[in-house]
Amino acid sequence: MAKVLVFGHKNPDTDTIASAIAYAELKKQLGVDAEAVRLGEVNGETAYALKHFGVEAPRLVETVADQSEGVILVDHNESQQSAVDIADAHVLEVIDHHRIANFETAHPLYYRAEPVGCTATILNKLYKENGIEIRKEIAGLMASAIVSDSLLFKSPTCTEQDVAAAKELAAIAGVDLDVYGLDMLKAGADLSGKTAQDLISIDAKEFTMGGSKVEIAQINAVDVNEVLEQQAELEAALKDKIVDKGLDLFVLAITDILNNDSVALALGSKTDAVERAYGVTLENNTALLKGVVSRKSQIVPVLTKAFEA
């Protein structure tokens, strides 16, 4: 069989990159010619983790069907979040921890989805199930992914399985999670030099909700007000994106990693869905979402319900 490509969603985060690398490594140990690739630029947080553990970023690709006989999706399943030619690719496996939507295949496949906080937590199980030891560098990246997705275990998506896996992996990697994890999150929250276009694209995902096209981007910040100083530029960039992609709603969630709240900046024809979902009133297109830090569990399902009501 030709090379199998392993990759996560567009605008990759740390879990996407780390899980692609970790699962490609496992597949190679099992005799599969697998390669981790990425569908977008590496963000600051992920770059910090890769540098710390001395691992190269996966190769950037635009298309996948023409480069492989089969592909494996990690950390996503929705087609609009995947490669542009995913409909033409033979999907062999999916390893994910998100909702299942807009996904179908022409062939049977291995599908592993678990309600945990991070794809790397599932991969930790897969290594054990296959009797394969995890190399120090790979363990470090997997621990980084769990710290990232769980905001150092503060996210409501974090489970006991995630905490246990992160501690196991940190021990293999030889890092102190409290020290290393906070340093990594701060590296990701360093937004200096980022343009408005950068900020709305760093970690953006598109969803279909009740027949509407919704894009939700999330950025972590130490000081939310510093981000909002660019509100005029952010809104101009959001308006361009809404027009270009025909979106009904774009929500930029600016998450305070110290206080565990988010400010939502919402634009589009259906911003009322945000108000209904959270019982807030948008003022100057923004609203404080108390205790909201997880797009997966506290934004996507809540907004979806509002659209479908």
Side-chain angles (χ1 to χ4, degrees), residues 19-285:
S19 290
I21 293 171
Y23 201 43
E25 169 85 3
L26 175 59
K27 299 304 287 188
K28 284 187 282 189
Q29 292 286 335
L30 296 173
V32 177
D33 185 11
E35 178 192 5
V37 294
R38 57 186 168 94
L39 303 182
E41 297 304 319
V42 172
N43 65 34
E45 177 190 278
T46 308
Y48 179 91
L50 290 169
K51 182 178 180 180
H52 186 92
F53 294 106
V55 179
E56 292 290 326
R59 177 169 61 94
L60 176 66
V61 299
E62 295 293 331
T63 56
V64 296
D66 57 341
Q67 299 188 49
S68 68
E69 191 171 315
V71 301
I72 297 174
L73 311 186
V74 295
D75 198 32
H76 77 298
N77 67 82
E78 298 187 49
S79 58
Q80 70 273 17
Q81 298 174 11
S82 199
V84 293
D85 63 339
I86 193 63
D88 300 320
H90 181 188
V91 180
L92 301 170
E93 301 182 32
V94 176
I95 314 295
D96 194 18
H97 67 125
H98 295 94
R99 72 174 192 174
I100 301 172
N102 303 321
F103 178 81
E104 62 180 31
T105 64
H107 309 279
L109 76 163
Y110 177 81
Y111 199 112
R112 179 83 169 251
E114 296 189 22
V116 292
C118 184
T119 308
T121 300
I122 305 172
L123 295 183
N124 188 48
K125 296 180 184 180
L126 284 169
Y127 268 88
K128 291 179 179 179
E129 290 167 10
N130 285 280
I132 303 295
E133 291 187 5
I134 304 175
R135 290 195 292 113
K136 177 179 180 179
E137 297 80 7
I138 300 299
L141 291 181
M142 292 169 70
S144 300
I146 299 172
V147 166
S148 175
D149 270 12
S150 70
L151 278 180
L152 200 53
F153 314 133
K154 293 178 182 178
S155 172
T157 62
C158 184
T159 68
E160 292 182 3
Q161 295 180 60
D162 296 297
V163 176
K167 290 180 177 178
E168 289 178 12
L169 294 163
I172 297 171
V175 294
D176 181 319
L177 279 181
D178 291 330
V179 176
Y180 167 77
L182 186 58
D183 287 344
M184 186 192 75
L185 291 176
K186 285 182 177 178
D190 180 4
L191 304 176
S192 57
K194 295 287 191 298
T195 66
Q197 185 60 48
D198 292 335
L199 292 175
I200 70 169
S201 304
I202 287 173
D203 185 6
K205 291 183 180 181
E206 188 177 319
F207 303 89
T208 299
M209 299 181 179
S212 296
K213 289 184 68 176
V214 179
E215 189 153 336
I216 304 170
Q218 185 173 25
I219 54 176
N220 292 336
V222 173
D223 187 345
V224 171
N225 290 325
E226 285 188 4
V227 180
L228 290 176
E229 288 175 359
Q230 300 184 56
Q231 185 169 344
E233 293 87 348
L234 288 169
E235 291 190 2
L238 291 177
K239 288 174 182 176
D240 288 343
K241 188 73 71 173
I242 288 168
V243 172
D244 290 345
K245 301 181 75 171
L247 300 173
D248 297 294
L249 174 67
F250 197 122
V251 178
L252 173 62
I254 309 166
T255 299
D256 186 329
I257 65 171
L258 299 181
N259 295 316
N260 300 317
D261 297 320
S262 293
V263 170
L265 173 59
L267 290 178
S269 62
K270 297 188 177 180
T271 55
D272 59 307
V274 177
E275 297 181 319
R276 294 197 311 275
Y278 295 99
V280 297
T281 299
L282 289 167
E283 296 182 6
N284 192 26
N285 299 321

